Amino acid sequence: MKALKFFPVVAFSFLPALAHAEMGGEQVFKSVCAMCHASGMMGAPKFGDKKAWEPRIAQGDATLLQHALAGIRKMPARGGKASLTDGEVKAAVEYMVAHAK
C-alpha cells in the first residue's frame, strides 16, 4: 500500500484573489454605466455633458461616490451590478467626472 502524500493547502489560498481582477474606470463605464449614462436614460446625466454634471461635481467626490455605491433616485446601487468592488465604482465615477470637466 502506498503512503498518501499531503500537500499544503496554503498554495491554493491565493486563488480567490485571482478570481476577480479589478476593472478600470473606462471598462466599468462601458460595461455597466453606459447603459444609462450614454443616452441619459431615466434622468442619468449624459457622459461628457458638462452642464448636467456641474452641480453633481460641485457636491464633491465623496458625495458622488456615495451616490454611486448606494444608489440615488432611479440609479440602483453600484449601477445595478452588485459584484463591482468599491474601487471599481470609484474608478468609474472618476472616469465620468474627468470627461465632464
Side-chain angles (χ1 to χ4, degrees), residues 24-97:
E26 183 176 5
Q27 283 180 291
V28 175
F29 172 78
K30 287 180 176 179
S31 66
V32 180
C33 312
M35 171 73 81
C36 296
H37 287 283
S39 66
M41 183 188 307
M42 297 191 300
K46 287 185 182 180
F47 181 77
D49 183 340
K50 294 176 186 343
K51 187 176 179 182
W53 279 95
E54 187 176 15
R56 291 165 172 89
I57 292 170
Q59 294 176 31
D61 294 341
T63 299
L64 278 174
L65 179 58
Q66 183 55 37
H67 290 166
L69 290 170
I72 184 167
R73 292 182 275 287
K74 294 180 183 177
M75 181 182 152
R78 299 174 191 275
K81 186 169 182 180
S83 63
L84 290 177
T85 66
D86 290 1
E88 289 171 324
V89 174
K90 183 176 190 268
V93 170
E94 289 172 347
Y95 176 76
M96 287 189 279
V97 167

